[in-house]
PDB file of all heavy atoms in Angstrom:
ATOM      1  N   THR A   1     -15.606  23.449 -53.879  1.00  0.00           N
ATOM      2  CA  THR A   1     -16.524  22.697 -54.738  1.00  0.00           C
ATOM      3  C   THR A   1     -15.849  21.511 -55.396  1.00  0.00           C
ATOM      4  O   THR A   1     -16.435  20.849 -56.247  1.00  0.00           O
ATOM      5  CB  THR A   1     -17.142  23.614 -55.805  1.00  0.00           C
ATOM      6  OG1 THR A   1     -16.076  24.221 -56.558  1.00  0.00           O
ATOM      7  CG2 THR A   1     -17.995  24.686 -55.156  1.00  0.00           C
ATOM      8  N   GLY A   2     -14.606  21.225 -55.044  1.00  0.00           N
ATOM      9  CA  GLY A   2     -13.890  20.093 -55.601  1.00  0.00           C
ATOM     10  C   GLY A   2     -12.552  19.981 -54.913  1.00  0.00           C
ATOM     11  O   GLY A   2     -12.190  20.859 -54.121  1.00  0.00           O
ATOM     12  N   PRO A   3     -11.790  18.928 -55.214  1.00  0.00           N
ATOM     13  CA  PRO A   3     -10.506  18.706 -54.551  1.00  0.00           C
ATOM     14  C   PRO A   3      -9.562  19.908 -54.651  1.00  0.00           C
ATOM     15  O   PRO A   3      -8.852  20.226 -53.700  1.00  0.00           O
ATOM     16  CB  PRO A   3      -9.939  17.496 -55.290  1.00  0.00           C
ATOM     17  CG  PRO A   3     -11.120  16.778 -55.821  1.00  0.00           C
ATOM     18  CD  PRO A   3     -12.121  17.846 -56.160  1.00  0.00           C
ATOM     19  N   ASN A   4      -9.577  20.565 -55.761  1.00  0.00           N
ATOM     20  CA  ASN A   4      -8.687  21.716 -55.933  1.00  0.00           C
ATOM     21  C   ASN A   4      -9.446  22.940 -56.406  1.00  0.00           C
ATOM     22  O   ASN A   4      -8.888  23.797 -57.095  1.00  0.00           O
ATOM     23  CB  ASN A   4      -7.582  21.375 -56.941  1.00  0.00           C
ATOM     24  CG  ASN A   4      -6.712  20.238 -56.469  1.00  0.00           C
ATOM     25  OD1 ASN A   4      -6.120  20.299 -55.402  1.00  0.00           O
ATOM     26  ND2 ASN A   4      -6.636  19.191 -57.261  1.00  0.00           N
ATOM     27  N   ARG A   5     -10.699  22.992 -56.015  1.00  0.00           N
ATOM     28  CA  ARG A   5     -11.539  24.085 -56.490  1.00  0.00           C
ATOM     29  C   ARG A   5     -12.009  24.915 -55.312  1.00  0.00           C
ATOM     30  O   ARG A   5     -12.981  24.576 -54.641  1.00  0.00           O
ATOM     31  CB  ARG A   5     -12.735  23.495 -57.251  1.00  0.00           C
ATOM     32  CG  ARG A   5     -13.099  24.254 -58.504  1.00  0.00           C
ATOM     33  CD  ARG A   5     -14.244  23.555 -59.209  1.00  0.00           C
ATOM     34  NE  ARG A   5     -13.789  22.448 -60.022  1.00  0.00           N
ATOM     35  CZ  ARG A   5     -14.629  21.600 -60.625  1.00  0.00           C
ATOM     36  NH1 ARG A   5     -15.927  21.720 -60.465  1.00  0.00           N
ATOM     37  NH2 ARG A   5     -14.164  20.625 -61.363  1.00  0.00           N
ATOM     38  N   ILE A   6     -11.276  25.969 -55.058  1.00  0.00           N
ATOM     39  CA  ILE A   6     -11.612  26.890 -53.974  1.00  0.00           C
ATOM     40  C   ILE A   6     -11.784  28.268 -54.581  1.00  0.00           C
ATOM     41  O   ILE A   6     -10.963  28.701 -55.397  1.00  0.00           O
ATOM     42  CB  ILE A   6     -10.521  26.908 -52.894  1.00  0.00           C
ATOM     43  CG1 ILE A   6     -10.463  25.547 -52.190  1.00  0.00           C
ATOM     44  CG2 ILE A   6     -10.765  28.020 -51.891  1.00  0.00           C
ATOM     45  CD1 ILE A   6      -9.380  25.441 -51.138  1.00  0.00           C
ATOM     46  N   ASN A   7     -12.836  28.937 -54.177  1.00  0.00           N
ATOM     47  CA  ASN A   7     -13.106  30.282 -54.689  1.00  0.00           C
ATOM     48  C   ASN A   7     -13.399  31.236 -53.541  1.00  0.00           C
ATOM     49  O   ASN A   7     -13.930  30.834 -52.501  1.00  0.00           O
ATOM     50  CB  ASN A   7     -14.289  30.260 -55.653  1.00  0.00           C
ATOM     51  CG  ASN A   7     -13.956  29.568 -56.956  1.00  0.00           C
ATOM     52  OD1 ASN A   7     -13.138  30.054 -57.731  1.00  0.00           O
ATOM     53  ND2 ASN A   7     -14.570  28.429 -57.187  1.00  0.00           N
ATOM     54  N   TYR A   8     -13.043  32.483 -53.771  1.00  0.00           N
ATOM     55  CA  TYR A   8     -13.258  33.522 -52.773  1.00  0.00           C
ATOM     56  C   TYR A   8     -13.911  34.737 -53.412  1.00  0.00           C
ATOM     57  O   TYR A   8     -13.654  35.065 -54.578  1.00  0.00           O
ATOM     58  CB  TYR A   8     -11.933  33.965 -52.152  1.00  0.00           C
ATOM     59  CG  TYR A   8     -11.252  32.904 -51.335  1.00  0.00           C
ATOM     60  CD1 TYR A   8     -10.199  32.169 -51.868  1.00  0.00           C
ATOM     61  CD2 TYR A   8     -11.667  32.630 -50.033  1.00  0.00           C
ATOM     62  CE1 TYR A   8      -9.587  31.171 -51.122  1.00  0.00           C
ATOM     63  CE2 TYR A   8     -11.049  31.644 -49.281  1.00  0.00           C
ATOM     64  CZ  TYR A   8     -10.006  30.921 -49.832  1.00  0.00           C
ATOM     65  OH  TYR A   8      -9.393  29.937 -49.097  1.00  0.00           O
ATOM     66  N   LEU A   9     -14.710  35.403 -52.605  1.00  0.00           N
ATOM     67  CA  LEU A   9     -15.205  36.724 -52.961  1.00  0.00           C
ATOM     68  C   LEU A   9     -13.992  37.629 -53.149  1.00  0.00           C
ATOM     69  O   LEU A   9     -13.034  37.569 -52.371  1.00  0.00           O
ATOM     70  CB  LEU A   9     -16.103  37.241 -51.842  1.00  0.00           C
ATOM     71  CG  LEU A   9     -16.783  38.580 -51.989  1.00  0.00           C
ATOM     72  CD1 LEU A   9     -17.853  38.515 -53.077  1.00  0.00           C
ATOM     73  CD2 LEU A   9     -17.408  39.000 -50.653  1.00  0.00           C
ATOM     74  N   GLU A  10     -14.029  38.443 -54.176  1.00  0.00           N
ATOM     75  CA  GLU A  10     -12.870  39.265 -54.508  1.00  0.00           C
ATOM     76  C   GLU A  10     -12.398  40.088 -53.321  1.00  0.00           C
ATOM     77  O   GLU A  10     -11.181  40.203 -53.075  1.00  0.00           O
ATOM     78  CB  GLU A  10     -13.202  40.178 -55.683  1.00  0.00           C
ATOM     79  CG  GLU A  10     -12.008  40.899 -56.271  1.00  0.00           C
ATOM     80  CD  GLU A  10     -10.989  39.968 -56.891  1.00  0.00           C
ATOM     81  OE1 GLU A  10     -11.379  38.925 -57.447  1.00  0.00           O
ATOM     82  OE2 GLU A  10      -9.786  40.290 -56.792  1.00  0.00           O
ATOM     83  N   SER A  11     -13.318  40.626 -52.563  1.00  0.00           N
ATOM     84  CA  SER A  11     -12.947  41.541 -51.476  1.00  0.00           C
ATOM     85  C   SER A  11     -12.299  40.845 -50.282  1.00  0.00           C
ATOM     86  O   SER A  11     -11.758  41.523 -49.404  1.00  0.00           O
ATOM     87  CB  SER A  11     -14.170  42.325 -51.005  1.00  0.00           C
ATOM     88  OG  SER A  11     -15.148  41.459 -50.476  1.00  0.00           O
ATOM     89  N   VAL A  12     -12.326  39.503 -50.250  1.00  0.00           N
ATOM     90  CA  VAL A  12     -11.712  38.801 -49.119  1.00  0.00           C
ATOM     91  C   VAL A  12     -10.483  38.005 -49.535  1.00  0.00           C
ATOM     92  O   VAL A  12      -9.823  37.396 -48.680  1.00  0.00           O
ATOM     93  CB  VAL A  12     -12.719  37.862 -48.404  1.00  0.00           C
ATOM     94  CG1 VAL A  12     -13.986  38.616 -48.036  1.00  0.00           C
ATOM     95  CG2 VAL A  12     -13.024  36.626 -49.223  1.00  0.00           C
ATOM     96  N   LYS A  13     -10.170  38.007 -50.804  1.00  0.00           N
ATOM     97  CA  LYS A  13      -8.998  37.262 -51.285  1.00  0.00           C
ATOM     98  C   LYS A  13      -7.744  37.750 -50.577  1.00  0.00           C
ATOM     99  O   LYS A  13      -7.510  38.951 -50.444  1.00  0.00           O
ATOM    100  CB  LYS A  13      -8.854  37.433 -52.796  1.00  0.00           C
ATOM    101  CG  LYS A  13      -9.792  36.571 -53.607  1.00  0.00           C
ATOM    102  CD  LYS A  13      -9.562  36.743 -55.098  1.00  0.00           C
ATOM    103  CE  LYS A  13     -10.507  35.876 -55.905  1.00  0.00           C
ATOM    104  NZ  LYS A  13     -10.327  36.071 -57.369  1.00  0.00           N
ATOM    105  N   GLY A  14      -6.943  36.793 -50.128  1.00  0.00           N
ATOM    106  CA  GLY A  14      -5.708  37.115 -49.431  1.00  0.00           C
ATOM    107  C   GLY A  14      -5.909  37.364 -47.945  1.00  0.00           C
ATOM    108  O   GLY A  14      -4.930  37.469 -47.197  1.00  0.00           O
ATOM    109  N   ARG A  15      -7.155  37.477 -47.504  1.00  0.00           N
ATOM    110  CA  ARG A  15      -7.434  37.712 -46.083  1.00  0.00           C
ATOM    111  C   ARG A  15      -8.175  36.542 -45.439  1.00  0.00           C
ATOM    112  O   ARG A  15      -8.005  36.295 -44.241  1.00  0.00           O
ATOM    113  CB  ARG A  15      -8.278  38.984 -45.922  1.00  0.00           C
ATOM    114  CG  ARG A  15      -7.615  40.240 -46.448  1.00  0.00           C
ATOM    115  CD  ARG A  15      -8.410  41.492 -46.075  1.00  0.00           C
ATOM    116  NE  ARG A  15      -9.752  41.503 -46.621  1.00  0.00           N
ATOM    117  CZ  ARG A  15     -10.859  41.577 -45.890  1.00  0.00           C
ATOM    118  NH1 ARG A  15     -10.789  41.617 -44.574  1.00  0.00           N
ATOM    119  NH2 ARG A  15     -12.050  41.599 -46.472  1.00  0.00           N
ATOM    120  N   PHE A  16      -9.022  35.866 -46.189  1.00  0.00           N
ATOM    121  CA  PHE A  16      -9.817  34.756 -45.678  1.00  0.00           C
ATOM    122  C   PHE A  16      -9.322  33.447 -46.284  1.00  0.00           C
ATOM    123  O   PHE A  16      -8.847  33.418 -47.423  1.00  0.00           O
ATOM    124  CB  PHE A  16     -11.285  34.930 -46.044  1.00  0.00           C
ATOM    125  CG  PHE A  16     -12.002  36.039 -45.323  1.00  0.00           C
ATOM    126  CD1 PHE A  16     -11.325  37.011 -44.602  1.00  0.00           C
ATOM    127  CD2 PHE A  16     -13.390  36.121 -45.390  1.00  0.00           C
ATOM    128  CE1 PHE A  16     -11.992  38.027 -43.958  1.00  0.00           C
ATOM    129  CE2 PHE A  16     -14.078  37.129 -44.739  1.00  0.00           C
ATOM    130  CZ  PHE A  16     -13.379  38.086 -44.027  1.00  0.00           C
ATOM    131  N   ALA A  17      -9.479  32.354 -45.534  1.00  0.00           N
ATOM    132  CA  ALA A  17      -9.113  31.033 -46.040  1.00  0.00           C
ATOM    133  C   ALA A  17     -10.132  30.008 -45.569  1.00  0.00           C
ATOM    134  O   ALA A  17     -10.418  29.920 -44.366  1.00  0.00           O
ATOM    135  CB  ALA A  17      -7.722  30.647 -45.570  1.00  0.00           C
ATOM    136  N   ILE A  18     -10.660  29.240 -46.498  1.00  0.00           N
ATOM    137  CA  ILE A  18     -11.624  28.177 -46.191  1.00  0.00           C
ATOM    138  C   ILE A  18     -10.863  26.860 -46.138  1.00  0.00           C
ATOM    139  O   ILE A  18      -9.950  26.617 -46.935  1.00  0.00           O
ATOM    140  CB  ILE A  18     -12.754  28.145 -47.260  1.00  0.00           C
ATOM    141  CG1 ILE A  18     -13.850  27.164 -46.861  1.00  0.00           C
ATOM    142  CG2 ILE A  18     -12.201  27.838 -48.648  1.00  0.00           C
ATOM    143  CD1 ILE A  18     -15.081  27.228 -47.782  1.00  0.00           C
ATOM    144  N   SER A  19     -11.235  26.000 -45.200  1.00  0.00           N
ATOM    145  CA  SER A  19     -10.565  24.705 -45.084  1.00  0.00           C
ATOM    146  C   SER A  19     -11.478  23.716 -44.368  1.00  0.00           C
ATOM    147  O   SER A  19     -12.510  24.096 -43.806  1.00  0.00           O
ATOM    148  CB  SER A  19      -9.242  24.849 -44.323  1.00  0.00           C
ATOM    149  OG  SER A  19      -9.470  25.275 -42.991  1.00  0.00           O
ATOM    150  N   ARG A  20     -11.056  22.451 -44.401  1.00  0.00           N
ATOM    151  CA  ARG A  20     -11.776  21.383 -43.707  1.00  0.00           C
ATOM    152  C   ARG A  20     -10.802  20.703 -42.765  1.00  0.00           C
ATOM    153  O   ARG A  20      -9.603  20.650 -43.035  1.00  0.00           O
ATOM    154  CB  ARG A  20     -12.286  20.345 -44.721  1.00  0.00           C
ATOM    155  CG  ARG A  20     -13.273  20.877 -45.712  1.00  0.00           C
ATOM    156  CD  ARG A  20     -13.543  19.881 -46.811  1.00  0.00           C
ATOM    157  NE  ARG A  20     -12.459  19.781 -47.755  1.00  0.00           N
ATOM    158  CZ  ARG A  20     -12.589  19.401 -49.012  1.00  0.00           C
ATOM    159  NH1 ARG A  20     -13.795  19.074 -49.457  1.00  0.00           N
ATOM    160  NH2 ARG A  20     -11.552  19.319 -49.810  1.00  0.00           N
ATOM    161  N   ASP A  21     -11.295  20.133 -41.690  1.00  0.00           N
ATOM    162  CA  ASP A  21     -10.401  19.394 -40.809  1.00  0.00           C
ATOM    163  C   ASP A  21     -10.204  17.978 -41.339  1.00  0.00           C
ATOM    164  O   ASP A  21     -10.821  17.563 -42.335  1.00  0.00           O
ATOM    165  CB  ASP A  21     -10.935  19.392 -39.377  1.00  0.00           C
ATOM    166  CG  ASP A  21     -12.139  18.469 -39.194  1.00  0.00           C
ATOM    167  OD1 ASP A  21     -12.748  18.068 -40.201  1.00  0.00           O
ATOM    168  OD2 ASP A  21     -12.464  18.183 -38.032  1.00  0.00           O
ATOM    169  N   ASN A  22      -9.326  17.225 -40.689  1.00  0.00           N
ATOM    170  CA  ASN A  22      -8.974  15.894 -41.187  1.00  0.00           C
ATOM    171  C   ASN A  22     -10.152  14.932 -41.173  1.00  0.00           C
ATOM    172  O   ASN A  22     -10.219  14.015 -41.986  1.00  0.00           O
ATOM    173  CB  ASN A  22      -7.822  15.309 -40.361  1.00  0.00           C
ATOM    174  CG  ASN A  22      -6.512  16.007 -40.644  1.00  0.00           C
ATOM    175  OD1 ASN A  22      -6.328  16.586 -41.709  1.00  0.00           O
ATOM    176  ND2 ASN A  22      -5.596  15.962 -39.693  1.00  0.00           N
ATOM    177  N   THR A  23     -11.078  15.135 -40.255  1.00  0.00           N
ATOM    178  CA  THR A  23     -12.254  14.262 -40.213  1.00  0.00           C
ATOM    179  C   THR A  23     -13.279  14.669 -41.257  1.00  0.00           C
ATOM    180  O   THR A  23     -14.224  13.929 -41.512  1.00  0.00           O
ATOM    181  CB  THR A  23     -12.927  14.297 -38.827  1.00  0.00           C
ATOM    182  OG1 THR A  23     -13.484  15.607 -38.622  1.00  0.00           O
ATOM    183  CG2 THR A  23     -11.935  13.985 -37.733  1.00  0.00           C
ATOM    184  N   GLU A  24     -13.103  15.868 -41.795  1.00  0.00           N
ATOM    185  CA  GLU A  24     -13.971  16.415 -42.832  1.00  0.00           C
ATOM    186  C   GLU A  24     -15.407  16.584 -42.368  1.00  0.00           C
ATOM    187  O   GLU A  24     -16.341  16.565 -43.187  1.00  0.00           O
ATOM    188  CB  GLU A  24     -13.871  15.593 -44.119  1.00  0.00           C
ATOM    189  CG  GLU A  24     -12.460  15.682 -44.701  1.00  0.00           C
ATOM    190  CD  GLU A  24     -12.238  14.817 -45.916  1.00  0.00           C
ATOM    191  OE1 GLU A  24     -12.712  13.675 -45.939  1.00  0.00           O
ATOM    192  OE2 GLU A  24     -11.577  15.295 -46.843  1.00  0.00           O
ATOM    193  N   THR A  25     -15.583  16.755 -41.066  1.00  0.00           N
ATOM    194  CA  THR A  25     -16.912  17.077 -40.551  1.00  0.00           C
ATOM    195  C   THR A  25     -16.966  18.492 -39.995  1.00  0.00           C
ATOM    196  O   THR A  25     -17.996  18.914 -39.469  1.00  0.00           O
ATOM    197  CB  THR A  25     -17.349  16.091 -39.451  1.00  0.00           C
ATOM    198  OG1 THR A  25     -16.378  16.114 -38.401  1.00  0.00           O
ATOM    199  CG2 THR A  25     -17.484  14.686 -40.003  1.00  0.00           C
ATOM    200  N   THR A  26     -15.849  19.211 -40.085  1.00  0.00           N
ATOM    201  CA  THR A  26     -15.822  20.603 -39.659  1.00  0.00           C
ATOM    202  C   THR A  26     -15.232  21.456 -40.771  1.00  0.00           C
ATOM    203  O   THR A  26     -14.196  21.124 -41.331  1.00  0.00           O
ATOM    204  CB  THR A  26     -14.993  20.789 -38.379  1.00  0.00           C
ATOM    205  OG1 THR A  26     -15.511  19.949 -37.350  1.00  0.00           O
ATOM    206  CG2 THR A  26     -15.057  22.237 -37.913  1.00  0.00           C
ATOM    207  N   LEU A  27     -15.922  22.518 -41.060  1.00  0.00           N
ATOM    208  CA  LEU A  27     -15.506  23.491 -42.066  1.00  0.00           C
ATOM    209  C   LEU A  27     -15.050  24.745 -41.332  1.00  0.00           C
ATOM    210  O   LEU A  27     -15.678  25.141 -40.340  1.00  0.00           O
ATOM    211  CB  LEU A  27     -16.680  23.807 -42.994  1.00  0.00           C
ATOM    212  CG  LEU A  27     -16.438  24.722 -44.178  1.00  0.00           C
ATOM    213  CD1 LEU A  27     -15.602  23.996 -45.239  1.00  0.00           C
ATOM    214  CD2 LEU A  27     -17.752  25.190 -44.777  1.00  0.00           C
ATOM    215  N   TYR A  28     -13.979  25.352 -41.814  1.00  0.00           N
ATOM    216  CA  TYR A  28     -13.450  26.544 -41.158  1.00  0.00           C
ATOM    217  C   TYR A  28     -13.420  27.719 -42.134  1.00  0.00           C
ATOM    218  O   TYR A  28     -13.341  27.551 -43.350  1.00  0.00           O
ATOM    219  CB  TYR A  28     -12.017  26.297 -40.683  1.00  0.00           C
ATOM    220  CG  TYR A  28     -11.877  25.214 -39.656  1.00  0.00           C
ATOM    221  CD1 TYR A  28     -11.349  23.973 -40.011  1.00  0.00           C
ATOM    222  CD2 TYR A  28     -12.273  25.416 -38.340  1.00  0.00           C
ATOM    223  CE1 TYR A  28     -11.224  22.964 -39.075  1.00  0.00           C
ATOM    224  CE2 TYR A  28     -12.144  24.412 -37.388  1.00  0.00           C
ATOM    225  CZ  TYR A  28     -11.617  23.191 -37.769  1.00  0.00           C
ATOM    226  OH  TYR A  28     -11.496  22.189 -36.841  1.00  0.00           O
ATOM    227  N   LEU A  29     -13.447  28.882 -41.546  1.00  0.00           N
ATOM    228  CA  LEU A  29     -13.162  30.102 -42.295  1.00  0.00           C
ATOM    229  C   LEU A  29     -12.232  30.935 -41.422  1.00  0.00           C
ATOM    230  O   LEU A  29     -12.643  31.487 -40.402  1.00  0.00           O
ATOM    231  CB  LEU A  29     -14.424  30.885 -42.629  1.00  0.00           C
ATOM    232  CG  LEU A  29     -14.193  32.116 -43.506  1.00  0.00           C
ATOM    233  CD1 LEU A  29     -13.748  31.695 -44.921  1.00  0.00           C
ATOM    234  CD2 LEU A  29     -15.442  32.994 -43.601  1.00  0.00           C
ATOM    235  N   GLN A  30     -10.960  30.957 -41.796  1.00  0.00           N
ATOM    236  CA  GLN A  30      -9.982  31.789 -41.111  1.00  0.00           C
ATOM    237  C   GLN A  30     -10.039  33.181 -41.712  1.00  0.00           C
ATOM    238  O   GLN A  30      -9.847  33.340 -42.914  1.00  0.00           O
ATOM    239  CB  GLN A  30      -8.581  31.199 -41.259  1.00  0.00           C
ATOM    240  CG  GLN A  30      -7.493  32.022 -40.603  1.00  0.00           C
ATOM    241  CD  GLN A  30      -7.603  32.040 -39.087  1.00  0.00           C
ATOM    242  OE1 GLN A  30      -7.754  30.999 -38.456  1.00  0.00           O
ATOM    243  NE2 GLN A  30      -7.536  33.236 -38.495  1.00  0.00           N
ATOM    244  N   MET A  31     -10.300  34.166 -40.869  1.00  0.00           N
ATOM    245  CA  MET A  31     -10.441  35.536 -41.347  1.00  0.00           C
ATOM    246  C   MET A  31      -9.376  36.405 -40.695  1.00  0.00           C
ATOM    247  O   MET A  31      -9.271  36.432 -39.457  1.00  0.00           O
ATOM    248  CB  MET A  31     -11.830  36.078 -41.004  1.00  0.00           C
ATOM    249  CG  MET A  31     -12.972  35.193 -41.505  1.00  0.00           C
ATOM    250  SD  MET A  31     -14.594  35.932 -41.254  1.00  0.00           S
ATOM    251  CE  MET A  31     -14.661  35.949 -39.457  1.00  0.00           C
ATOM    252  N   SER A  32      -8.607  37.081 -41.498  1.00  0.00           N
ATOM    253  CA  SER A  32      -7.532  37.949 -41.004  1.00  0.00           C
ATOM    254  C   SER A  32      -7.698  39.336 -41.610  1.00  0.00           C
ATOM    255  O   SER A  32      -8.432  39.523 -42.571  1.00  0.00           O
ATOM    256  CB  SER A  32      -6.174  37.370 -41.396  1.00  0.00           C
ATOM    257  OG  SER A  32      -6.031  36.048 -40.917  1.00  0.00           O
ATOM    258  N   SER A  33      -6.979  40.283 -41.019  1.00  0.00           N
ATOM    259  CA  SER A  33      -7.029  41.681 -41.483  1.00  0.00           C
ATOM    260  C   SER A  33      -8.468  42.131 -41.666  1.00  0.00           C
ATOM    261  O   SER A  33      -8.842  42.701 -42.696  1.00  0.00           O
ATOM    262  CB  SER A  33      -6.255  41.815 -42.805  1.00  0.00           C
ATOM    263  OG  SER A  33      -4.916  41.422 -42.641  1.00  0.00           O
ATOM    264  N   LEU A  34      -9.269  41.860 -40.669  1.00  0.00           N
ATOM    265  CA  LEU A  34     -10.699  42.150 -40.764  1.00  0.00           C
ATOM    266  C   LEU A  34     -10.962  43.641 -40.868  1.00  0.00           C
ATOM    267  O   LEU A  34     -10.239  44.467 -40.287  1.00  0.00           O
ATOM    268  CB  LEU A  34     -11.440  41.561 -39.569  1.00  0.00           C
ATOM    269  CG  LEU A  34     -11.663  40.045 -39.664  1.00  0.00           C
ATOM    270  CD1 LEU A  34     -11.953  39.449 -38.298  1.00  0.00           C
ATOM    271  CD2 LEU A  34     -12.793  39.739 -40.637  1.00  0.00           C
ATOM    272  N   LYS A  35     -11.998  43.970 -41.614  1.00  0.00           N
ATOM    273  CA  LYS A  35     -12.396  45.351 -41.850  1.00  0.00           C
ATOM    274  C   LYS A  35     -13.833  45.550 -41.367  1.00  0.00           C
ATOM    275  O   LYS A  35     -14.614  44.593 -41.315  1.00  0.00           O
ATOM    276  CB  LYS A  35     -12.331  45.661 -43.342  1.00  0.00           C
ATOM    277  CG  LYS A  35     -10.980  45.391 -43.981  1.00  0.00           C
ATOM    278  CD  LYS A  35     -11.030  45.620 -45.478  1.00  0.00           C
ATOM    279  CE  LYS A  35      -9.687  45.322 -46.133  1.00  0.00           C
ATOM    280  NZ  LYS A  35      -9.720  45.554 -47.597  1.00  0.00           N
ATOM    281  N   PRO A  36     -14.200  46.779 -41.041  1.00  0.00           N
ATOM    282  CA  PRO A  36     -15.593  47.025 -40.612  1.00  0.00           C
ATOM    283  C   PRO A  36     -16.615  46.524 -41.631  1.00  0.00           C
ATOM    284  O   PRO A  36     -17.691  46.055 -41.241  1.00  0.00           O
ATOM    285  CB  PRO A  36     -15.635  48.545 -40.457  1.00  0.00           C
ATOM    286  CG  PRO A  36     -14.233  48.915 -40.080  1.00  0.00           C
ATOM    287  CD  PRO A  36     -13.366  47.979 -40.877  1.00  0.00           C
ATOM    288  N   GLU A  37     -16.281  46.579 -42.914  1.00  0.00           N
ATOM    289  CA  GLU A  37     -17.218  46.116 -43.941  1.00  0.00           C
ATOM    290  C   GLU A  37     -17.373  44.601 -43.976  1.00  0.00           C
ATOM    291  O   GLU A  37     -18.202  44.079 -44.709  1.00  0.00           O
ATOM    292  CB  GLU A  37     -16.816  46.625 -45.329  1.00  0.00           C
ATOM    293  CG  GLU A  37     -15.378  46.368 -45.707  1.00  0.00           C
ATOM    294  CD  GLU A  37     -14.470  47.562 -45.427  1.00  0.00           C
ATOM    295  OE1 GLU A  37     -14.606  48.184 -44.341  1.00  0.00           O
ATOM    296  OE2 GLU A  37     -13.607  47.858 -46.284  1.00  0.00           O
ATOM    297  N   ASP A  38     -16.583  43.883 -43.177  1.00  0.00           N
ATOM    298  CA  ASP A  38     -16.773  42.430 -43.054  1.00  0.00           C
ATOM    299  C   ASP A  38     -17.847  42.091 -42.031  1.00  0.00           C
ATOM    300  O   ASP A  38     -18.209  40.925 -41.874  1.00  0.00           O
ATOM    301  CB  ASP A  38     -15.459  41.752 -42.631  1.00  0.00           C
ATOM    302  CG  ASP A  38     -14.374  41.854 -43.677  1.00  0.00           C
ATOM    303  OD1 ASP A  38     -14.678  41.688 -44.877  1.00  0.00           O
ATOM    304  OD2 ASP A  38     -13.210  42.105 -43.296  1.00  0.00           O
ATOM    305  N   THR A  39     -18.354  43.102 -41.339  1.00  0.00           N
ATOM    306  CA  THR A  39     -19.401  42.879 -40.350  1.00  0.00           C
ATOM    307  C   THR A  39     -20.643  42.291 -41.004  1.00  0.00           C
ATOM    308  O   THR A  39     -21.162  42.834 -41.978  1.00  0.00           O
ATOM    309  CB  THR A  39     -19.758  44.198 -39.644  1.00  0.00           C
ATOM    310  OG1 THR A  39     -18.621  44.633 -38.886  1.00  0.00           O
ATOM    311  CG2 THR A  39     -20.953  44.018 -38.717  1.00  0.00           C
TER     312      THR A  39
END
């Protein structure tokens, strides 16, 4: 929501990462250590 304003749902902190590419037309969500409850 801002240059240095990134927030995560508590249950995904440390496992998921949101980012933008250099062109800023693609948004990513890197998800690691996935759990069945992430379905």
Side-chain angles (χ1 to χ4, degrees):
T1 57
N4 298 303
R5 221 177 278 173
I6 294 178
N7 290 293
Y8 294 100
L9 182 69
E10 190 64 34
S11 63
V12 308
K13 282 182 180 178
R15 300 188 299 121
F16 290 13
I18 187 172
S19 63
R20 297 170 286 206
D21 74 344
N22 289 336
T23 67
E24 296 176 319
T25 57
T26 303
L27 184 72
Y28 297 105
L29 184 68
Q30 179 67 49
M31 306 186 294
S32 304
S33 301
L34 283 160
K35 304 176 181 181
E37 51 264 43
D38 294 318
T39 294

